[in-house]
Amino acid sequence: MLEKNDRKGTMFVAREGELTALERMYKRDGFQMAVIYGRRRVGKTTLIDEFVKDKRVLYFTAQQKTSHQNLELLSAATYAAFSLPATLPAFASWNDALRFVVERVGKEPPDTPLVIVFDEFPYAAEANPSLPSALQTTIDHGLKQTDTKLILCGSNEGFMESRVLGSKSPLYGRRTMQMRLNPFDYLDAARMLPGVPPEELVIYYATFGGTPYYLSQVDLSRTYEENVRELFFDRLGLLYEEPLMLLRQELHEPARYNSILDAVGSGNSTPSRIAKRAGVNPNSVGKYLKTLSVLGIIEKVSPLGNGPTSKNSAYRLKDPLFAYWYRFVSRYLGTIEKGAGAAASAYASSGQALSTYVGKQFKDVCLQWVQRESIAGRLPFSALEFGQWWGTDPDAHEETDIDIVAMNRVERELLVGECRWRNSFNETAAIKTLEHRSTLLKGFSRRHFVLFTKRETSAATRRAAADRADLCLVTLDELYAGLNP
């Protein structure tokens, strides 16, 4: 009889939807195969651990080792799962191991399904390219006749999409569900930092982003400045070289990708400028940008309403930790190596430079709030598109932008927002400017306005907003109200 799973993982936060989907899969009759993938550190293993903690499970995690060594690890995991002596010899081949599992499953009581977890599947499959075919045979001629639930998990997103989910894969058509895990948004990230006030939550999100592993490194008994200094600006810090390590693990040309990210982090947003700054052939920079986009490190953005082929499209760092690292840490690597990182940390964790940087990330936090409100049905209309807008103001004869845009072109409804991270500003002028800029987006019959602020607005602004049905004021407290529903 299989033992109940008792693996201990890190704190499980959010992912309720993903966990519910896995539970639904588990309750379905017959064989099921789930494919879970996503970038390293995003919490795939933590999710799986939470799912299988009360279930009969055979849990195997492949490593970057030879096929023979991984087979030995699988043998040990299999014997332990079925309460067999660890002294039994390792399986001679993957076919033998998989055949053994099918035979044992057939002897198990049918009351509760067995969950087989194959974590970091790409490691084993790259070491033995015949493994996907062997697994396909096992599924078709063994597991499909059982109630077994198989989970294939991997951090190599390209491998999982092409060689597991792709139409040319031996495993194509076998999966019954797939799940790509992304980093947390600002609100779920805040759940990992209980007790931190809203202003600091924005700063932490702008620095660490929504990757659970990065957030788990924060020591809540220490200040933000202390955490940043110890994690980023100390050569022994866990996040000191994190972006470089991820590039080395995921990509074949980490130095070239690092140069490209450095170019994007320095403000270069078009392929030609990125290629020039990074010293990359302009004709080949596109493939590197595409790979980084697939990994979720950068993204191509366009003014909402202009389409993805807009001439105003731009590349930017999508992951906040990468944006922070390439803005504040990478330029001081030599200084940190010499043990003088504290001075660089003082510059990066306070002052105008950090405030300007956080102000840009604050716009993304506000956009995520708008998306959440729309999904919850709390906007004045059902928005179908979300983003930002930038372009030319023909009246002012200058380039301008709108921080937040949500629209429903079918119903001709538009919402625009302005995000202010300053402690004080001319609130009346900001609202009038927002109203004018909204007219640059044509074809809408109804317009709604939102002013996002770091501090509560003046009493006069609040009275003015109360008299209007089309104006909403949102402070940090409203942004994080969802933490205490």
Side-chain angles (χ1 to χ4, degrees), residues 42-55:
V42 81
K44 301 182 298 298
T45 300
T46 301
L47 170 64
I48 295 172
D49 285 351
E50 182 69 15
F51 167 62
V52 302
K53 67 182 182 181
D54 57 352
K55 297 175 176 64

Side-chain angles (χ1 to χ4, degrees), residues 5 10-28 34 36 43-55 115 151 177-181 184 188:
N5 176 64
T10 56
M11 177 174 61
F12 183 78
V13 172
R15 305 290 191 212
E16 291 90 353
E18 292 89 342
L19 188 60
T20 298
L22 287 170
E23 291 291 350
R24 283 199 302 266
M25 176 205 71
Y26 179 76
K27 292 176 182 178
R28 295 190 198 116
I36 301 176
K44 301 182 298 298
T45 300
T46 301
L47 170 64
I48 295 172
D49 285 351
E50 182 69 15
F51 167 62
V52 302
K53 67 182 182 181
D54 57 352
K55 297 175 176 64
V115 180
I151 297 176
M177 73 171 294
Q178 67 188 66
M179 184 182 297
R180 179 180 182 179
L181 286 195
F184 291 149
D188 282 339

